[in-house]
């Protein structure tokens, strides 16, 4: 029965899948990860997720102890063993077991963990009505500190932002960067739609370059909408006709209220709905 857990060569279940308290992934958040979806027993955009995982690892001087094609096969094998048609995969590479000191040289062997389970982020009515969001006071990491392009095991600023949203009773939070530009949501990228053109912050500005974001950009261009990767202010969101978020877990979901202001007409807009539909079709097609 799910979840299926693979740790460094051995399969476990929920009760037996455990890591050492000396793993620097736990002690320091020293590691990287991916969240990946399975639709209809097919892993969605696995090569793109693996490319990002290996790039994240390189970004923190961590060598993944398996070659990319080997990890690719392993993920597919784990999904097969889970027996799940629809699943959520969490793939981690941690610095591994060391002693109680920061020095990663004390960790001779990185650990690879693959969990295959399920996830549901929002109930259906959030997709129908759109999310209520607020701008969090907690900014994302400065891009020259821990680059937001690295999907590292350090999610505390995003969690703190999420907690601000929970405390205020909203669904989701929008995070700014250290300069005050709009960056992303707690685990999703964001888009504003104005006069039929999509606008989203560029990856180089310091955001996670989402696999879903890239897929939605492709779909939008196919549908002949303009797409601009440009720095955005909150003003651009407040005055947008539509606003939506994208992520592996959430897929495409509208934001209809931000900081108490109604976005557009206060309902998921036509372009958001069109792209959500096209994304679903793409996910089922699996390319
Ligand atoms: N920004 C951040 C900070 C993320 O963590 C995305 C954007 C979207 O990227 P993808 O590749 O998924 O389109 C993420 C996604 C969750 C959850 O529970 C989300 C993510 C990681 C862990 C959990 O929503 N990452």
């Amino acid at each position: 029965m799910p979840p299926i857990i693979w740790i460094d060569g051995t399969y476990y279940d929920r009760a037996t899948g455990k890591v050492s308290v000396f793993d620097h992934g736990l002690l320091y958040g020293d590691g990287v990860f991916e969240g990946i979806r399975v639709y209809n027993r097919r892993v969605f955009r696995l090569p793109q997720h693996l490319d990002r995982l290996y790039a994240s690892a390189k970004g923190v001087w961590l060598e993944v102890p398996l070659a990319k094609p080997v990890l690719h096969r392993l993920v597919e094998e784990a999904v097969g063993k889970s027996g799940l048609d629809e699943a959520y995969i969490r793939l981690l590479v941690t610095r591994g077991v060391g002693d109680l000191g920061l020095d990663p040289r004390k960790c001779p062997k990185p650990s690879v963990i693959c969990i295959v389970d399920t996830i549901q982020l929002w109930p259906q009515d959030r997709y129908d009505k759109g999310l209520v969001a607020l701008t969090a006071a907690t900014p994302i990491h400065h891009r020259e500190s821990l680059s937001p392009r690295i999907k590292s095991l350090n999610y505390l600023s995003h969690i703190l932002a999420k907690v601000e949203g929970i405390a205020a009773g909203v669904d989701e939070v929008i995070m700014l960067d250290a300069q005050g530009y709009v960056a992303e949501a707690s685990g999703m990228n964001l888009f504003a739609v104005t006069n039929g053109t999509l606008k989203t912050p560029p990856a180089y500005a310091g955001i996670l370059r989402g696999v879903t974001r890239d897929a939605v950009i492709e779909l939008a261009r196919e549908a002949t909408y303009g797409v601009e990767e440009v720095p955005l202010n909150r003003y651009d969101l407040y005055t947008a006709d539509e606003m939506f978020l994208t992520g592996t877990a959430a897929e495409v979901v509208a934001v209809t209220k931000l900081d108490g202001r109604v976005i557009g007409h206060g309902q998921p807009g036509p372009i958001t709905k069109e792209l959500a539909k096209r994304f679903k079709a793409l996910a089922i097609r699996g390319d």
Side-chain angles (χ1 to χ4, degrees):
M1 281 297 100
I4 284 281
I5 302 162
W6 185 96
I7 308 174
D8 297 326
T10 309
Y11 280 101
Y12 302 91
D13 60 22
R14 186 185 291 279
T16 56
K18 303 231 188 305
V19 292
S20 164
V21 293
F22 290 101
D23 191 310
H24 280 210
L26 173 70
L27 289 172
Y28 300 112
D30 188 352
V32 295
F33 77 104
E34 281 298 316
I36 311 167
R37 279 289 274 272
V38 175
Y39 295 100
N40 224 350
R41 266 175 287 147
R42 289 222 298 275
V43 185
F44 184 68
R45 299 211 161 175
L46 182 55
Q48 287 88 332
H49 281 288
L50 289 177
D51 285 350
R52 190 171 66 185
L53 182 75
Y54 281 71
S56 292
K58 188 150 195 200
V60 299
W61 294 63
L62 177 60
E63 201 174 323
V64 184
L66 299 171
K68 231 185 251 183
V70 176
L71 193 49
H72 187 122
R73 279 199 298 278
L74 168 81
V75 169
E76 290 191 326
E77 179 190 278
V79 169
K81 271 191 194 293
S82 78
L84 292 167
D85 293 345
E86 312 291 317
Y88 181 79
I89 304 165
R90 181 60 57 91
L91 193 55
L92 295 90
V93 185
T94 78
R95 190 72 65 183
V97 171
D99 61 14
L100 297 177
L102 286 178
D103 190 340
R105 289 174 301 184
K106 302 281 176 57
C107 308
K109 201 177 156 296
S111 260
V112 179
I113 300 171
C114 179
I115 307 167
V116 184
D117 203 353
T118 53
I119 194 169
Q120 201 206 357
L121 217 54
W122 313 105
Q124 185 56 39
D125 83 301
R126 294 297 192 286
Y127 289 91
D128 299 338
K129 295 192 188 124
L131 304 178
V132 176
L134 65 75
T135 307
T138 310
I140 62 165
H141 290 131
H142 191 282
R143 61 178 179 269
E144 298 305 336
S145 169
L146 174 60
S147 172
R149 295 174 76 173
I150 297 171
K151 203 160 165 57
S152 82
L153 294 180
N154 289 257
Y155 257 63
L156 264 182
S157 49
H158 289 73
I159 289 167
L160 292 179
K162 183 90 193 157
V163 169
E164 289 180 46
I166 293 166
V170 298
D171 300 312
E172 188 46 53
V173 284
I174 302 306
M175 297 178 73
L176 307 179
D177 68 15
Q179 286 78 39
Y181 287 102
V182 165
E184 57 195 345
S186 67
M188 289 168 274
N189 292 114
L190 72 85
F191 288 80
V193 185
T194 305
N195 295 329
T197 295
L198 277 66
K199 294 185 183 175
T200 194
Y204 64 75
I207 54 160
L208 188 82
R209 185 173 158 192
V211 171
T212 321
R213 168 190 182 277
D214 283 358
V216 165
I217 289 174
E218 285 166 29
L219 292 172
R221 290 195 168 130
E222 264 169 44
T224 71
Y225 297 120
V227 181
E228 294 176 8
E229 296 183 60
V230 285
L232 299 174
N233 307 135
R234 282 195 296 169
Y235 167 85
D236 298 298
L237 304 181
Y238 295 152
T239 57
D241 302 325
E242 304 178 29
M243 176 182 167
F244 64 87
L245 307 176
T246 63
T248 294
E251 302 179 324
V252 177
V253 62
V255 174
T256 46
K257 211 173 200 193
L258 174 62
D259 299 334
R261 302 175 192 232
V262 172
I263 306 297
H265 297 294
Q267 286 162 3
I271 295 179
T272 303
K273 286 205 238 171
E274 169 73 21
L275 292 171
K277 199 172 90 191
R278 282 174 183 256
F279 183 78
K280 275 251 185 277
L282 172 73
I284 291 164
R285 260 197 340 264
D287 54 29

